[in-house]
């Protein structure tokens, strides 16, 4: 009997790269709240004692960058030297310019319906039927662990837990490629120096047993908890964080392809972000319609051009309908134009801070419009 293993990871709100993503999307939301047609591309870098904002913006809005950075860091929990970053004493450097007119030419048009893409690029969307969320199970579990740990730290008063953390979950699959059990869990969590390491490990193992689906754990499940034996120095003090470096955490845990373009800090005219949302929307509806059990959608756009230059759908031989016909019907049912993406998914809203930690896909939230399943009946009617 052939078996296989697949591993995905997730990180906490306090991981330096995720700190950078949250700040970038916080700034983006601030612009969209005042001016929905803002053009924003913000990159953030956080390191020892310094936060740097850089990028390009064209907007009628006025944003207090320093206040947004400080409020975000405070909410995450970086409020002391012990945590690895103190927002009250750290420096904030801002270097933000106007968007290049050469890029703006590709987006702006006399008619919004022929709006062009803000850049060239390729993007992927993915769905699989092995979880309720239509997401890879290792990714779902790893993400849940980080969400639950955040609640433990913030809501339940486990003050010895500090903001930085990451986890890795390995799931064993059977010969039919169905999830069977959790083989390994790795959890590294920053903690106060005052809390004994053994007590910390005992606490975290109990926490995992309450967070992870019990039916997937067994006597052979392996645990590696703070495997170096100490995780006191963390956050930007230990590791520089930059926007867009946790793209696999943001998407499908490594089980699907990734186009390479990051999401955070970009307004929806940037197809790196909006095109990836559309691709997920298409893939999820195809799997939910039971036309395939796995589906990966690739889109490609050219700067200044409204419609994609290519659309590819791969069902990994799990399809019950012809893939060529599936591509044709997807083009009929979904508006793949840049204007169509923004309109269909209602993307000119300040919704992006919520996406900046905990994954962009597989979440129950009405603002995550790319997760809706409103095209299932249309797809079924084309084939069944």
């Amino acid at each position: 009997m052939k078996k296989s293993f697949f591993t995905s990871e997730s990180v906490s709100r306090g991981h330096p790269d995720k700190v950078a993503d949250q700040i970038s999307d916080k700034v983006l939301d601030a612009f969209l709240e005042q001016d929905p047609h803002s053009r924003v591309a913000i990159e953030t870098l956080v390191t020892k004692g310094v936060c740097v904002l850089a990028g390009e913006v064209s907007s009628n809005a006025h944003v207090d960058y320093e206040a947004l950075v400080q409020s975000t860091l405070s909410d995450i929990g970086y409020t002391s030297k012990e945590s690895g970053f103190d927002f009250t004493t750290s420096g904030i450097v801002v270097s933000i310019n106007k968007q290049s007119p050469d890029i703006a030419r590709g987006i702006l048009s006399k008619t919004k319906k022929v709006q062009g893409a803000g850049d060239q690029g390729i993007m992927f969307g993915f769905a699989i039927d092995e979880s309720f969320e239509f997401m890879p199970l290792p990714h779902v579990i790893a993400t849940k662990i980080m969400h639950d740990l955040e609640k433990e730290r913030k809501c339940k008063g486990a003050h010895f837990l500090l903001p930085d953390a990451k986890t890795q979950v390995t799931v064993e699959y059977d010969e039919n490629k169905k999830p069977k059990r959790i083989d390994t869990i790795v959890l590294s969590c920053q903690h106060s120096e005052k809390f004994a390491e053994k007590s910390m490990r005992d606490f975290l193992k109990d926490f995992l047993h309450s967070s992870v689906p019990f039916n997937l754990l067994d006597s052979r499940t392996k645990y590696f908890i703070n495997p170096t034996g100490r995780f006191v120095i963390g956050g930007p003090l230990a590791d520089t964080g930059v926007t867009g470096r946790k793209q696999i955490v943001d998407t499908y845990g490594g089980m699907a392809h990734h186009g390479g373009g990051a999401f955070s800090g970009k307004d929806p005219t940037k197809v790196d972000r909006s095109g990836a949302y559309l691709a997920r929307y298409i893939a999820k509806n195809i799997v939910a319609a039971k036309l395939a059990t796995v589906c990966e959608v690739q889109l490609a756009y050219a700067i200044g051009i409204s419609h994609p230059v290519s659309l590819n759908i791969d069902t990994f031989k799990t399809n019950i309908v012809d893939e060529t016909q599936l591509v044709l019907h997807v083009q009929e049912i979904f508006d793949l134009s840049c204007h169509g993406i923004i309109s269909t998914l209602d993307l000119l809203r300040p919704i992006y801070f919520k996406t900046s930690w905990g994954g962009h896909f597989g979440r129950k939230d009405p603002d995550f419009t790319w997760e809706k399943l409103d095209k299932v009946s249309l797809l079924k009617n084309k084939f069944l």
Side-chain angles (χ1 to χ4, degrees):
M1 293 176 65
K2 183 179 178 181
K3 60 183 179 180
S4 59
F5 300 84
F6 196 87
T7 302
S8 294
E9 73 162 353
S10 187
V11 298
S12 69
R13 286 191 69 190
H15 186 282
D17 291 328
K18 275 291 138 197
V19 172
D21 286 343
Q22 288 169 84
I23 292 172
S24 293
D25 275 333
K26 191 78 166 181
V27 172
L28 170 62
D29 279 357
F31 276 106
L32 292 178
E33 190 170 13
Q34 298 178 48
D35 178 4
H37 297 286
S38 296
R39 301 288 178 259
V40 181
I42 295 293
E43 309 289 344
T44 303
L45 179 148
V46 288
T47 189
K48 182 180 178 181
V50 181
C51 175
V52 179
L53 266 66
E56 301 78 42
V57 173
S58 293
S59 176
N60 293 319
H62 297 281
V63 169
D64 186 339
Y65 296 110
E66 291 190 5
L68 286 172
V69 170
Q70 290 179 336
S71 66
T72 304
L73 291 169
S74 175
D75 185 55
I76 292 171
Y78 283 119
T79 57
S80 66
K81 289 182 180 180
E82 181 188 38
S83 66
F85 201 90
D86 186 348
F87 81 93
T88 64
T89 60
S90 297
I92 300 172
V93 179
V94 178
S95 180
I96 295 175
N97 305 300
K98 284 191 174 182
Q99 184 185 57
S100 164
D102 293 344
I103 295 175
R105 287 184 65 191
I107 301 170
L108 302 175
S109 63
K110 294 180 181 179
T111 307
K112 289 181 180 179
K113 291 186 179 181
V114 294
Q115 171 182 307
D119 198 355
Q120 71 179 52
I122 60 173
M123 52 286 312
F124 291 87
F126 183 77
I128 189 168
D129 70 350
E130 67 184 35
S131 71
F132 177 80
E133 297 86 354
F134 295 97
M135 293 286 285
L137 187 61
H139 178 76
V140 170
I141 297 171
T143 303
K144 183 179 185 298
I145 289 172
M146 287 292 97
H147 272 286
D148 290 350
L149 190 67
E150 179 69 9
K151 290 178 183 177
E152 197 77 31
R153 181 172 70 89
K154 283 291 191 75
C155 303
K156 297 188 178 180
H159 300 300
F160 50 87
L161 297 178
L162 296 177
D164 196 357
K166 59 168 56 177
T167 190
Q168 227 175 245
V169 175
T170 302
V171 170
E172 180 184 328
Y173 289 77
D174 64 20
E175 66 277 9
N176 297 312
K177 296 185 178 180
K178 298 298 182 184
K180 183 178 180 182
R181 55 182 288 275
I182 294 175
D183 182 75
T184 306
I185 301 176
V186 181
L187 178 59
S188 297
C189 184
Q190 185 190 11
H191 59 92
S192 170
E193 192 168 18
K194 300 173 184 177
F195 202 69
E197 187 64 38
K198 185 180 182 306
S199 300
M200 184 69 181
R201 285 179 174 173
D202 291 344
F203 170 84
L204 290 176
K205 189 165 184 179
D206 289 342
F207 157 76
L208 287 172
H209 286 159
S210 66
S211 177
V212 175
F214 185 76
N215 63 308
L216 294 175
L217 300 173
D218 60 27
S219 60
R220 294 181 293 136
T221 300
K222 299 180 286 292
Y223 301 88
F224 296 94
I225 299 174
N226 282 8
T228 66
R230 175 184 168 90
F231 190 3
V232 171
I233 301 173
L237 179 62
D239 184 17
T240 296
V242 181
T243 301
R245 286 206 304 199
K246 284 291 173 281
Q247 297 172 32
I248 300 305
V249 171
D250 285 341
T251 54
Y252 307 103
M255 195 172 282
H257 289 96
H258 193 285
F263 303 155
S264 289
K266 297 178 180 178
D267 74 80
T269 66
K270 280 73 171 174
V271 284
D272 279 336
R273 181 170 217 157
S274 55
Y277 291 171
L278 175 66
R280 161 64 177 175
Y281 180 40
I282 295 169
K284 184 177 180 181
N285 275 267
I286 288 171
V287 174
K290 298 185 178 180
L291 303 181
T293 59
V294 186
C295 182
E296 183 178 80
V297 174
Q298 188 206 43
L299 293 165
Y301 289 84
I303 187 167
I305 307 301
S306 177
H307 285 78
V309 298
S310 72
L311 163 66
N312 183 68
I313 297 176
D314 188 351
T315 57
F316 304 93
K317 299 182 180 180
T318 68
N319 51 308
I320 63 168
V321 298
D322 181 70
E323 282 187 352
T324 302
Q325 289 298 310
L326 186 57
V327 169
L328 293 174
H329 291 315
V330 162
Q331 291 173 316
E332 294 171 6
I333 293 170
F334 296 87
D335 188 341
L336 308 183
S337 70
C338 296
H339 170 75
I341 299 172
I342 292 172
S343 176
T344 301
L345 301 181
D346 194 14
L347 297 179
L348 295 178
R349 297 173 295 137
I351 59 172
Y352 298 103
F353 178 70
K354 289 194 285 187
T355 71
S356 60
W357 174 72
H360 292 246
F361 307 117
R363 294 171 62 176
K364 284 184 180 180
D365 188 309
D367 284 334
F368 287 55
T369 50
W370 47 94
E371 293 296 318
K372 59 188 177 181
L373 294 172
D374 57 342
K375 304 297 186 184
V376 170
S377 295
L378 288 172
L379 285 164
K380 283 184 174 179
N381 290 340
K382 293 288 185 179
F383 293 100
L384 306 178

